[in-house]
Amino acid sequence: MKRIIHIAGIMLLIATSANAQKLPTSKYVNHTEFGGLFGRVKYSNSYNGNQEQVDNRLSMTIQTFNGMQVHRRLTVGATVGVDWYKAALLNPVAAGLRYDLTKRGNVKLFATADAGYAFAWFHDDAEGLDTKGGLMINPGFGLKIGKPGAVAVTLGLSYKRQEAQVEKVPLWDQRERSEDRVYNRLALRLGFSF
């Protein structure tokens, strides 16, 4: 009888310590946003003696981040999206991080970082043009408003740098003609996260 009580006590001790050392479980996180890409563009105007011209630009953007929470405040995953620039429709695919800078409360400050490559999957070129995407980085900050564990509304502000290349029809005595583009934009996005 003493032996059974002794074994039962050891099993109870093991069960109690195993329960106390429970590892945190990872959870799925989605962060979907839409908004505008704001910037200024400098280009040569061939109809004005190739003088440089500067214009303001506003483009639409939508993206979704899907990942796993690996720490109480850190989520790692992938971001996919669509950016509608005036002369290109690009689809960035990137590795991404989301990090809560504040620990508690219903309003949290968070940081984001995405880095990857944009493709021109849905872009339709005019005859003689061939648009290709390029490298993309997108670091930023935002506010997450909502109770912990529930759907939250987000407002984000970030810098987006997107490269692209366009092959064009050669003119007169040219053998080849291309244009390297770099879109530097301020992104303002509204979204939700769960």
Side-chain angles (χ1 to χ4, degrees):
M1 183 72 165
K2 283 184 178 180
R3 192 172 199 167
I4 293 173
I5 293 173
H6 187 61
I7 292 172
I10 291 172
M11 290 175 65
L12 183 62
L13 182 63
I14 291 170
T16 305
S17 54
N19 192 25
Q21 295 177 5
K22 202 181 270 188
L23 296 174
T25 58
S26 296
K27 75 172 196 170
Y28 170 76
V29 174
N30 175 278
H31 185 196
T32 301
E33 304 172 284
F34 66 93
L37 298 170
F38 300 86
R40 291 180 57 83
V41 178
K42 184 188 289 187
Y43 60 95
S44 297
N45 187 343
S46 59
Y47 300 109
N48 193 13
N50 282 334
Q51 291 183 353
E52 285 191 343
Q53 188 170 335
V54 179
D55 285 333
N56 292 328
R57 292 282 193 258
L58 171 59
S59 306
M60 286 192 58
T61 181
I62 186 168
Q63 70 179 25
T64 185
F65 168 84
N66 294 286
M68 296 301 289
Q69 188 174 9
V70 295
H71 183 268
R72 191 170 29 115
R73 294 165 44 186
L74 176 66
T75 304
V76 177
T79 304
V80 294
V82 179
D83 296 332
W84 288 271
Y85 298 103
K86 183 176 180 182
L89 176 61
L90 298 177
N91 309 100
V93 176
L97 301 172
R98 302 293 183 267
Y99 186 78
D100 288 335
L101 298 170
T102 53
K103 293 182 182 180
R104 295 186 179 94
N106 292 342
V107 178
K108 292 184 179 179
L109 181 64
F110 67 92
T112 67
D114 295 316
Y117 191 89
F119 299 91
W121 289 325
F122 303 114
H123 180 78
D124 192 15
D125 281 311
E127 189 174 333
L129 299 178
D130 184 22
T131 302
K132 295 180 177 133
L135 296 176
M136 181 274 301
I137 59 168
N138 186 25
F141 292 95
L143 287 176
K144 188 186 309 182
I145 305 162
K147 293 182 181 180
V151 176
V153 174
T154 63
L155 180 61
L157 183 66
S158 65
Y159 164 73
K160 186 160 198 175
R161 183 181 194 278
Q162 172 67 64
E163 296 177 359
Q165 184 180 32
V166 181
E167 299 292 330
K168 298 181 173 185
V169 176
L171 298 175
W172 306 294
D173 61 347
Q174 295 177 332
R175 292 184 187 200
E176 62 182 37
R177 184 172 154 227
S178 66
E179 178 179 297
D180 291 323
R181 298 178 181 162
V182 177
Y183 298 103
N184 289 304
R185 299 289 191 266
L186 179 67
L188 181 61
R189 297 184 180 104
L190 179 65
F192 61 90
S193 178
F194 60 89

